[in-house]
Amino acid sequence: MRTKRITPEERERAFKSLRKPDVEEKQRLHVRYHVEDFDVNDRPRRFLEAFAAILKHSNYRMALEHFIRMSAKCSRCAVSCQVYQATGDLKDIPCYRSELLLSVYRRHFTYGGMLKGRLLGDPGLTDEKIQEMAESFWNCTACRRCSIDCPSGIDHGLITHLGRYILSEIGIAPRALVVSTREQLEGATGNTSAIPVPALTDTLEFLEEDMLEEKQVEIKFPIDVEGSEYVFFPAVSDFLMEAETLMGIAAVFTATGDSWTTGTGYFDGINYGLFYSDRMLERIVKKIDAETRRLKGKKVLIGECGHASRSAKYFLPTYCGGKDAYPVINIMEYTYEVFKNGRLKLDPNIVTEKVAYHDPCNIARQGWIIDKPREILKAFCKNYVEMTPSGSNNICCGGGGGTVSIDEIRPYRTTIGGKLKADQIRRSGCHYLVAPCANCKKQLRELVEDQKIPVEVVGLHDLIYKAIIFDDSLKVKKIPAEAGTGEEGK
């Protein structure tokens, strides 16, 4: 699937910077995302020191040694990069972007590079190169679709992540991500949306009352229940923006009767460390582990969120006990299992509109969850349509890699990053676009709004909530108003 190149007018709008010129001058950094003030002196030296420290305390060197021996210039990846398709700019080819960092590694961290540099008088890393990396690495959605077409096995997404990590160590990282992560790790609320516990409990009580009125069933959000099978960590923004998704999840657990709980000690599945810093990634993952231990839970359950699921599934074992780490499952895996076992019943006559499914990159690219949500949807959505390509070859929403949280680059995300996705959505003609990921939902809603596509973006459990069938034994029996008043028969 291809998309047309953007026009010069679209390019100007997409790359327009909202930063004040005096701030750019002060920070000596011309990027489109806001950055907190940092030390601007001797950046090349500090970049190389951070790079060296990361190499010393991680396994990145092994991967980089492999990558520099391969050709990172063939540009086969260009055919699968939706950013390059939209801009046609050679600097947006994944190979080019990766070479920015690989050339620094080759020059400063290999014997051949250091010797060549001395013989030829190459000064090495410059401020201008750092500037280019700071701009380029945040133009990438880190969707990793390019890895499918790379004949050399180069993981451009990994290189982009490493480049962002090094930059963040010298103070160059999007302020939106840094501030949210700081609140999550050091703030009073301990979560990225700064939701205090009383607000959380009030919200859940309100949703319970809403569901009782709509479904005539007492659907609960258990809180701080020790010994539950599942300890639940949604993207915390769901408590503010995705009520229907949460209600659908609570409804499924009410129908099955399985034990689950949300903890008041920590209830945020978001992990922006996955996008810019391994140090933050580790600290956030350990908060999930600590809360699960506090509640004596048995499994970690992640809500509808791609990056939250990936960061927990792959990095809880890394940082929290290896084989003894808590099992991590995504809510769609749970819902699929109870549906296949006949413990969840859905009415096929409720959702009659055309429905399509969007694969979040963080759970589909590696082939983790692809068919399960589709089987559920096809079972109760009569008018399901498939978008192609899909599955592990899916097209990114355009806000991947944490870029969706950077509001100041929205024009870039909806004009360039998500252009190919917008074409795909239009072609499907769907009414409901199911996106089981908090980040994808935000990006896709902004995308269809800016691109003027008449589509409603929802979560999988939003539709399940509409169609769920409860056992009659769960229905609350209405008591006649006169009952017990002694007025009957008067």
Side-chain angles (χ1 to χ4, degrees), residues 108 179 203 315 344 468:
H108 293 277
V179 170
T203 298
F315 293 100
L344 172 66
I468 192 167

Side-chain angles (χ1 to χ4, degrees), residues 412-482:
Y412 174 83
R413 288 189 280 104
T414 60
T415 305
I416 293 177
K419 190 172 189 303
L420 186 61
K421 191 71 200 184
D423 293 347
Q424 190 185 40
I425 296 169
R426 273 198 201 91
R427 187 181 296 180
S428 77
C430 65
H431 174 86
Y432 286 122
L433 177 61
V434 176
C437 170
N439 285 349
C440 293
K441 283 176 192 163
K442 179 176 184 291
Q443 162 67 9
L444 291 170
R445 283 172 184 150
E446 293 175 351
L447 180 67
V448 298
E449 180 182 343
D450 291 0
Q451 295 271 354
K452 297 180 173 46
I453 307 172
V455 168
E456 185 175 347
V457 179
V458 297
L460 173 64
H461 287 81
D462 299 37
L463 297 187
I464 288 176
Y465 181 70
K466 293 177 186 292
I468 192 167
I469 301 172
F470 289 103
D471 190 274
D472 286 343
S473 63
L474 294 173
K475 295 287 180 68
V476 175
K477 292 182 173 54
K478 291 185 178 179
I479 302 174
E482 297 82 5

Side-chain angles (χ1 to χ4, degrees), residues 158-200:
L158 179 69
I159 296 172
T160 292
H161 171 80
L162 176 58
R164 292 177 177 183
Y165 182 16
I166 300 167
L167 288 168
S168 75
E169 291 294 294
I170 64 171
I172 301 175
R175 189 170 67 193
L177 301 181
V178 173
V179 170
S180 296
T181 302
R182 185 180 299 134
E183 176 64 24
Q184 185 178 26
L185 292 172
E186 300 164 8
T189 62
N191 62 80
T192 49
S193 292
I195 301 175
V197 170
L200 169 75

Side-chain angles (χ1 to χ4, degrees), residues 5 36 61 83 104 122 160 193-194 196 235 275 281 343 369 416 444 467 479:
R5 299 270 170 85
E36 291 187 317
R61 184 184 290 275
V83 171
V104 175
D122 177 4
T160 292
S193 292
F275 302 136
L281 171 68
R343 300 170 64 201
I369 302 174
I416 293 177
L444 291 170
I479 302 174

